[in-house]
Amino acid sequence: ILFKCLIIALILLLLSFLYSSCFLSLIQYRDPIAEEHQIYRNKAFESVAKSYFNLIYFNITTDEYRIAKMVKGVEPYAEKYPDGQKFLNRTCDNLVDIKYVETVKKFVDLSTVIERLGDKTVITEDYVGLDNCTYRVSFISVSRKTDNEVVLFGMKTIKESI
């Protein structure tokens, strides 16, 4: 009986060693192409994020948006307006000088942004805010797949008020 127990214990030990070795090899497997792509995407996003104080992902195909970076003054609009176009329009109404509201609203029209981007990576529009600062809003192409058209919308200060 002792010999049988010893054999069973050795078999279990061997099986657990083999299982853990296989498991560890699965965990340690890395896809270098996927990692390189993710590193590139992170670096590209970091570089864009440094330039803009507000940065929002818009999935034009699904009509969804997600805030990537936002200053505190704009956050309440995002909470009140789950629809991306309404959020952008309401933000324009509350932050853009009256002389520029129509121009900026035309620029932030999500239904035409893919067409206006065309072959470009970025399109921009400058405007004056209610605080007399000059701002630039941009749409940056992220994905051009017909089933998943995604853009980043960014806002940055061009000139502080005097």
Side-chain angles (χ1 to χ4, degrees):
I1 288 184
L2 184 58
F3 182 71
K4 284 183 180 179
C5 288
L6 187 58
I7 297 279
I8 291 173
L10 284 173
I11 290 172
L12 289 175
L13 184 63
L14 180 63
L15 286 175
S16 68
F17 175 75
L18 290 174
Y19 175 76
S20 65
S21 296
C22 289
F23 186 69
L24 285 175
S25 68
L26 287 174
I27 290 175
Q28 292 173 354
Y29 172 74
R30 295 180 14 227
D31 183 349
I33 294 170
E35 286 180 4
E36 184 177 326
H37 181 67
Q38 187 61 40
I39 289 168
Y40 169 77
R41 287 178 56 204
N42 289 345
K43 285 183 180 179
F45 179 79
E46 285 173 13
S47 116
V48 168
K50 287 179 186 175
S51 299
Y52 296 93
F53 60 82
N54 286 342
L55 206 53
I56 306 165
Y57 283 101
F58 283 96
N59 186 319
I60 306 301
T61 308
T62 62
D63 196 30
E64 297 172 329
Y65 76 100
R66 183 171 49 95
I67 296 168
K69 178 182 178 183
M70 183 159 294
V71 292
K72 290 187 179 183
V74 183
E75 286 174 342
Y77 305 119
E79 293 168 6
K80 288 182 184 177
Y81 301 99
D83 172 82
Q85 189 62 63
K86 287 181 184 173
F87 163 68
L88 287 174
N89 290 341
R90 189 69 178 152
T91 302
C92 286
D93 290 338
N94 288 289
L95 299 177
V96 178
D97 185 285
I98 192 88
K99 296 176 210 164
Y100 296 88
V101 168
E102 288 308 312
T103 303
V104 174
K105 278 189 177 180
K106 197 177 289 185
F107 178 77
V108 298
D109 181 359
L110 295 174
S111 68
T112 63
V113 72
I114 298 298
E115 180 183 331
R116 288 182 288 127
L117 269 166
D119 293 336
K120 299 176 213 137
T121 305
V122 179
I123 55 174
T124 63
E125 181 74 42
D126 293 354
Y127 70 92
V128 175
L130 292 175
D131 57 0
N132 288 323
C133 293
T134 303
Y135 296 95
R136 175 167 293 150
V137 287
S138 305
F139 281 109
I140 305 158
S141 178
V142 175
S143 171
R144 297 278 180 109
K145 297 176 186 172
T146 55
D147 62 336
N148 191 34
E149 295 175 318
V150 179
V151 294
L152 275 174
F153 173 78
M155 296 173 69
K156 65 180 172 181
T157 307
I158 300 298
K159 184 178 176 187
E160 298 287 334
S161 65
I162 300 173

